[in-house]
Amino acid sequence: MNKPHSFVTTTRIFAAAFVAALYSCASYADWSANISAVSDYTFNGLSLTQNDPAIQGGVDKAFKNGTYVGTWASNVDFGAGDETNLEWDVYVGRYQMLTEAISIDYGIAYYSYHGDDFSSDYNYPEVYTKFGYASDYGNSELNFWYAWDYFGTGSRHAVAMIAHTFELAPNHNLRASFDLSNSFDSETWIWREDKTSFYHYRLAYLTSYAGFDFEVAAENTNLDRDTADERIVFGVTKTFSF
């Protein structure tokens, strides 16, 4: 699949921005790394591992002005006839507190895929903006993602999410989320029959113990496929700071 010129240009711009952010404030940076084991890699409710487990990990660099850069990877499985086995992402963004209670997190990510001769055809960039609100009742989120070449198809695609996390007890949290995925180019990407959108909801319990973070989540979508039906997902993460 040939990429349009705008895709190539955007990729170069993103690479330049990533490198510039990485070196702009290097002396003020903090590093962190993480590694996770999950029972299923779900992306907006769809399994990208054919309902199988995944090993995931990333490295992040944060600067005092709120800018951050990072990279993250996971094994994937897109089914029979497709040998794509790795997703590798890079991103650059900025986190700011607008008031004592309201935050904004915005940036651009680039998703790349590897393992088969045509895996790079799936590569695409995505911009995002996330708003947070902290109150006595927990943390609320309003998040948006937009891609103009979704999975390399040339389709415009957007995701909107609302979420809320509240504390059940010290070190015991519950996060509920609902997101809507929508395609704007039905000729190149539809989710089901003649539908260009689907919704996904998730309820997750989060805690930590002995330096590890644990999550157990129940989720489902309104898609009629075995890689997007109701499921329970388990995950454990270890984060290192240096």
Side-chain angles (χ1 to χ4, degrees):
M1 181 182 300
N2 294 323
K3 297 294 191 302
H5 176 72
S6 60
F7 176 86
V8 176
T9 302
T10 300
T11 302
R12 290 172 178 167
I13 292 173
F14 173 73
F18 184 86
V19 173
L22 183 63
Y23 288 103
S24 62
C25 304
S27 62
Y28 301 103
D30 291 321
W31 288 89
S32 65
N34 61 83
I35 185 169
S36 302
V38 296
S39 61
D40 191 359
Y41 172 20
T42 58
F43 185 74
N44 300 126
L46 287 86
S47 174
L48 297 190
T49 50
Q50 299 296 303
N51 305 323
D52 287 333
I55 298 296
Q56 305 170 334
V59 177
D60 296 279
K61 194 171 187 177
F63 305 100
K64 286 188 176 181
N65 66 355
T67 300
Y68 58 86
V69 295
T71 184
W72 182 89
S74 174
N75 61 285
V76 296
D77 183 353
F78 293 160
D82 191 330
E83 297 301 320
T84 302
N85 54 33
L86 174 68
E87 175 186 330
W88 185 12
D89 310 332
V90 292
Y91 47 87
V92 57
R94 189 173 187 182
Y95 177 86
Q96 293 177 277
M97 294 299 300
L98 302 180
T99 70
E100 291 185 356
I102 300 174
S103 65
I104 185 171
D105 180 356
Y106 55 92
I108 182 169
Y110 182 71
Y111 302 81
S112 68
Y113 299 89
H114 310 267
D116 212 327
D117 292 339
F118 55 81
S119 295
S120 61
D121 289 348
Y122 299 135
N123 296 0
Y124 70 99
E126 182 179 67
V127 293
Y128 58 88
T129 303
K130 305 175 183 180
F131 297 95
Y133 176 69
S135 71
D136 294 338
Y137 302 100
N139 297 307
S140 301
E141 304 168 43
L142 180 60
N143 305 328
F144 302 95
W145 296 263
Y146 177 75
W148 53 95
D149 186 29
Y150 192 63
F151 272 96
T153 61
S155 298
R156 295 169 297 148
H157 186 265
V159 181
M161 170 190 285
I162 56 173
H164 185 75
T165 302
F166 58 93
E167 186 179 69
L168 299 172
N171 196 34
H172 298 277
N173 297 283
L174 199 62
R175 182 178 186 269
S177 63
F178 177 89
D179 52 88
L180 178 67
S181 296
N182 188 70
S183 297
F184 298 101
D185 301 291
S186 60
E187 293 183 359
T188 54
W189 192 281
I190 59 173
W191 282 108
R192 54 191 178 96
E193 300 172 348
D194 61 343
K195 305 297 184 182
T196 58
S197 65
F198 77 95
Y199 60 80
H200 163 237
Y201 49 95
R202 193 172 193 266
L203 184 64
Y205 165 74
L206 305 98
T207 189
S208 59
Y209 178 75
F212 291 87
D213 297 317
F214 298 89
E215 180 183 71
V216 182
E219 58 184 312
N220 197 7
T221 75
N222 65 329
L223 293 174
D224 185 18
R225 59 183 73 174
D226 62 359
T227 54
D229 56 10
E230 65 277 2
R231 66 195 58 228
I232 303 293
V233 179
F234 303 89
V236 57
T237 300
K238 176 66 174 179
T239 300
F240 307 88
S241 298
F242 48 93

